[in-house]
Amino acid sequence: MAVPAVRSFLQVAATEEVASPLRVVQIEGLAILKIIKHCKEFSPALVTGQLLGLDVGTVLEVTNCFPFPIREEDEENEAEGANYQLEMMKCLREVNVDNNTVGWYQSTLLGSFQTVELIETFMNYQENIRRCVCIIYDPSRSSQGVLALKALKLSDSFMDLYRNHNFTGEKLREKNLSWVDIFEEIPIKVSNSALVSAFMTELEADTPVTQCDYDRLQLSTNPFMERNMEFLIECMDDLSMEQQKFQFYYRSLSRQQAQQQAWLQKRRAENAARKTAGEEPLPEEDPSNPIFKPVPEPSRLDSFLITNQVSNYCNQINGVAGQNFSRLYLMKALHEN
Amino acid sequence: MAASEHTVLQFTPSSASLSARVHPLVIFNICDCYVRRPDQAERVIGTLLGSVSSDGTVEIRNSYAVPHNESSDQVALDIEYHHNMLASHQKVNPKEVIVGWYSTGLGVTGGFRNGQGTIKAYVSFILSLGDRHLAAQFQEIPLDLCMIEAERVGFDIVKTRTIDKLPNDLEGMEASMERLLALIDDVYKYVDNVVDGHVDPDNSIGRFLSETVSTLPKLSPSALDKLVNNSLQDNLLLLYLSSITRTQLSLAEKLNTAAQIL
């Protein structure tokens, strides 16, 4: 066994800390209940709030949270919002709550949360905090007996690309980045202090059947599916519009190239003529000619986001349809007698 | 752990119609504050927020702790902090008003004693003789745990000490069906026991069971088959649509990023 060499202080200070990748988000029951309450109270409006906790190794612990007030589109409320945040953090620190921001949470409607604003907020947070996470809660799925809680993080490669605003097809192919790689979902673990769980079990003994079960065994999922399909159709329309933009771009690009070729031919013919006449050949490029202006390539960010959303809807439909099958077979078996 | 004595609300002295309902969030909050209290403090004191309905039920929805100093004969609360927190909370939810205060441990309320946790709610009445205040009398009112449906779903999951993974759709379905199966087995055993005479029949349970069984709608087998098949076909259609959409997505992606104009 090799004896580890003793490192001088300079060496230790010089080696960079390698950040261990985030594997699990550990949330306390208190934070979950607060999120549920806040999102449900204001649904269908979408609300946000701040997450507080600790960053420990591969686990990000979320121990508390507080909601943000709904902001009207007023410029003077910017300072107010910042004041509210400072005030809350100060007050919470006095009662020994972890004063460390680790991210934010937001509510969503049927899973349609992949927007540019989300990415912008992520980038803003990432500048100040080394590791931050966004928790998405969907209050409309609680009628199906599901606690729809997701922890999201932007993947590092995507963040690099976004910072440089480089969304051309080449860069994406280089990094092998597709729409799946934008968001990373991190598994959630729930933990509670012993006091809390003892107390709660004391107050409400474990029943053999919980409300979750009642909701899950309900047969009518039609309204949910209908809304999901509506959203899916809208998204597909958006996606096809993005496709058309790309087609337009490619068409104009190829048209421009054809024009460039034609111009080049003409120039070459002219030069040949000039050579025979003994004059100076003209340059083969002309930057002032408008057909040489590069056509701007549309950013692929929007289409990626829309693709993400569509895939989310598809997943939800798959899940609910699977559940429906089980329920229908159950019904059938019940009637066999 | 609650009492109402601020004159923000008008309470009639009759305690007959008074009862309190508390959301689990409040209890989680209180326990969390207790665990985080500064080392020298014996207990935690804080404010309760909520609303009062017209029939006298107090619904306690939220709470926050207030730092305090305790000496042998008095308790001093940080009122400034209390006002600040109240203002902040009201910015988010203006409908929540102060409905009372809580304290843990010894004194007016219950706590952990002999391994049993208790919560008690009290209402105070001012005992006065003529114009002079004599004392405040605390009377207990019934306290109930209540929650909205979304909270109930979360609460059942959150109640245990640790969960390694939130259950996804199909796993949850499986768990529910297993529980249903277990329940049906229990019922079978109970009925068998009664028929064999091992257990005394209980009329109310028997009536309940027969009511439950009779709620199964009476459909002819062919009608039921048709219903079930129709629903099955609808679901299959949806699954097919979603798979087509996914194929379209991967196609679109290939077209967008892999195409190269030469």
Side-chain angles (χ1 to χ4, degrees):
Chain A
M1 243 306 247
V3 174
V6 173
R7 298 198 289 175
S8 74
F9 180 71
L10 192 62
Q11 280 178 319
V12 172
T15 51
E16 259 184 46
E17 255 184 49
V18 178
S20 40
L22 184 59
R23 293 249 164 74
V24 140
V25 172
Q26 188 171 302
I27 310 191
E28 285 215 358
L30 173 66
I32 294 188
L33 277 182
K34 271 192 173 173
I35 294 177
I36 294 180
K37 169 179 181 285
H38 183 221
C39 293
K40 192 70 185 183
E41 255 173 22
F42 287 97
S43 89
L46 301 180
V47 291
T48 57
Q50 183 99 305
L51 294 172
L52 306 166
L54 290 169
D55 183 3
V56 182
T58 57
V59 177
L60 189 67
E61 291 187 23
V62 176
T63 50
N64 214 328
C65 63
F66 62 83
F68 285 145
I70 300 198
R71 253 203 283 165
E72 300 96 42
E73 295 306 318
D74 230 352
E75 273 318 306
E76 30 186 76
N77 279 350
E78 288 275 343
E80 251 190 64
N83 267 348
Y84 169 82
Q85 227 177 322
L86 287 173
E87 195 67 41
M88 273 307 249
M89 303 272 269
K90 208 171 52 151
C91 290
L92 286 174
R93 185 175 52 210
E94 288 192 25
V95 275
N96 288 341
V97 175
D98 295 326
N99 206 12
N100 205 11
T101 309
V102 292
W104 83 101
Y105 68 84
Q106 65 184 60
S107 71
T108 172
L109 200 57
L110 271 191
S112 57
F113 53 83
Q114 291 98 339
T115 57
V116 189
E117 286 93 21
L118 185 68
I119 300 190
E120 300 267 319
T121 323
F122 248 120
M123 300 307 286
N124 281 340
Y125 267 91
Q126 199 74 16
E127 282 168 25
N128 302 330
I129 316 172
R130 201 166 58 106
R131 269 224 283 249
C132 70
V133 78
C134 172
I135 298 212
I136 310 272
Y137 175 65
D138 193 347
S140 53
R141 294 200 69 196
S142 64
S143 60
Q144 297 186 318
V146 176
L147 183 62
L149 212 60
K150 257 204 265 223
L152 285 184
K153 183 173 100 78
L154 282 186
S155 66
D156 295 324
S157 43
F158 177 75
M159 276 198 291
D160 290 331
L161 269 188
Y162 191 76
R163 265 193 216 117
N164 306 333
H165 289 284
N166 257 336
F167 269 116
T168 56
E170 289 189 27
K171 285 279 174 181
L172 291 169
R173 244 168 303 161
E174 243 176 68
K175 301 253 184 162
N176 213 6
L177 195 73
S178 79
W179 56 269
V180 209
D181 299 325
I182 297 187
F183 294 109
E184 256 177 58
E185 188 175 330
I186 309 179
I188 295 185
K189 207 166 95 141
V190 179
S191 85
N192 281 321
S193 66
L195 177 67
V196 162
S197 59
F199 220 96
M200 294 322 281
T201 323
E202 185 79 31
L203 286 180
E204 282 247 347
D206 281 325
T207 53
V209 176
T210 61
Q211 177 73 14
C212 281
D213 297 325
Y214 288 134
D215 288 331
R216 276 191 206 124
L217 291 174
Q218 249 186 12
L219 278 178
S220 80
T221 52
N222 279 345
F224 176 75
M225 294 291 246
E226 279 169 23
R227 277 168 79 206
N228 229 336
M229 290 305 283
E230 267 180 44
F231 282 21
L232 185 65
I233 293 178
E234 275 178 29
C235 264
M236 289 307 279
D237 284 337
D238 288 337
L239 190 64
S240 70
M241 269 190 349
E242 293 283 320
Q243 294 276 66
Q244 282 182 349
K245 271 195 232 163
F246 280 123
Q247 282 186 348
F248 184 67
Y249 164 70
Y250 279 133
R251 246 181 281 148
S252 50
L253 191 64
S254 59
R255 199 175 42 208
Q256 195 194 47
Q257 286 201 333
Q259 283 178 332
Q260 286 175 3
Q261 290 291 73
W263 187 89
L264 204 58
Q265 297 279 40
K266 250 185 12 191
R267 253 308 154 81
R268 288 218 180 101
E270 263 185 63
N271 279 344
R274 277 174 174 244
K275 234 186 348 192
T276 51
E279 291 175 9
E280 277 290 317
L282 294 167
E284 293 208 338
E285 279 184 10
D286 188 359
S288 62
N289 204 330
I291 60 175
F292 279 109
K293 208 165 55 163
V295 181
E297 186 172 340
S299 155
R300 308 197 186 264
L301 182 62
D302 282 328
S303 69
F304 274 13
L305 288 174
I306 296 180
T307 316
N308 260 324
Q309 260 178 284
V310 173
S311 127
N312 210 5
Y313 292 142
C314 287
N315 282 342
Q316 281 178 277
I317 292 184
N318 281 351
V320 178
Q323 284 187 326
N324 276 343
F325 284 139
S326 330
R327 283 191 278 252
L328 285 171
Y329 281 124
L330 187 67
M331 271 300 292
K332 216 163 147 191
L334 268 181
H335 274 255
E336 290 283 87
N337 333 331
Chain B
M1 286 192 204
S4 63
E5 57 150 307
H6 285 250
T7 49
V8 176
L9 318 150
Q10 269 85 36
F11 271 121
T12 61
S14 71
S15 58
S17 60
L18 220 47
S19 65
R21 286 155 40 142
V22 70
H23 282 238
L25 174 62
V26 175
I27 306 187
F28 267 79
N29 231 341
I30 297 177
C31 291
D32 185 66
C33 292
Y34 184 75
V35 171
R36 285 175 193 275
R37 71 192 187 285
D39 286 327
Q40 66 278 22
E42 273 282 327
R43 56 173 162 165
V44 187
I45 300 185
T47 315
L48 294 169
L49 303 170
S51 61
V52 188
S53 61
S54 48
D55 64 348
T57 321
V58 181
E59 197 162 334
I60 307 174
R61 285 214 199 94
N62 208 344
S63 69
Y64 56 84
V66 179
H68 64 94
N69 289 322
E70 238 178 275
S71 56
S72 56
D73 55 347
Q74 31 169 314
V75 177
L77 282 175
D78 194 347
I79 286 293
E80 168 108 20
Y81 179 92
H82 163 77
H83 283 313
N84 280 342
M85 279 297 255
L86 181 64
S88 301
H89 277 225
Q90 297 239 311
K91 271 196 210 138
V92 177
N93 202 344
K95 282 191 282 190
E96 280 184 0
V97 294
I98 301 183
V99 296
W101 55 279
Y102 69 82
S103 91
T104 67
L106 348 144
V108 175
T109 60
F112 267 112
R113 226 160 257 162
N114 304 330
Q116 268 189 340
T118 54
I119 307 184
K120 293 206 205 305
Y122 297 91
V123 174
S124 84
F125 303 110
I126 312 286
L127 295 176
S128 58
L129 198 60
D131 267 342
R132 277 191 324 157
H133 266 215
L134 277 185
Q137 183 202 33
F138 286 98
Q139 281 193 358
E140 190 172 344
I141 58 177
L143 184 66
D144 205 11
L145 193 69
C146 85
M147 47 194 116
I148 55 181
E149 188 188 345
E151 272 180 358
R152 162 78 54 188
V153 170
F155 177 67
D156 290 328
I157 295 182
V158 158
K159 202 163 56 159
T160 57
R161 178 83 200 273
T162 48
I163 299 190
D164 281 326
K165 201 169 84 89
L166 290 179
N168 73 2
D169 290 334
L170 288 178
E171 285 168 13
M173 196 70 200
E174 202 183 315
S176 301
M177 297 234 254
E178 274 172 22
R179 264 180 242 154
L180 185 63
L181 207 56
L183 273 184
I184 296 184
D185 278 338
D186 282 341
V187 168
Y188 255 123
K189 267 192 236 141
Y190 174 75
V191 170
D192 282 342
N193 281 340
V194 168
V195 165
D196 291 338
H198 294 303
V199 174
D200 288 329
D202 189 351
N203 276 340
S204 52
I205 297 188
R207 234 173 270 141
F208 192 67
L209 281 177
S210 72
E211 268 178 32
T212 317
V213 171
S214 64
T215 54
L216 284 179
K218 284 235 175 325
L219 290 173
S220 66
S222 59
L224 179 71
D225 268 346
K226 225 167 98 166
L227 264 182
V228 169
N229 283 335
N230 280 343
S231 306
L232 272 178
Q233 282 189 333
D234 287 339
N235 281 312
L236 280 172
L237 173 70
L238 286 173
L239 269 183
Y240 179 64
L241 271 175
S242 83
S243 337
I244 284 192
T245 319
R246 288 165 151 263
T247 325
Q248 164 72 19
L249 287 181
S250 48
L251 259 184
E253 187 210 336
K254 287 275 179 302
L255 280 176
N256 284 343
T257 56
Q260 248 186 333
I261 306 287
L262 292 171

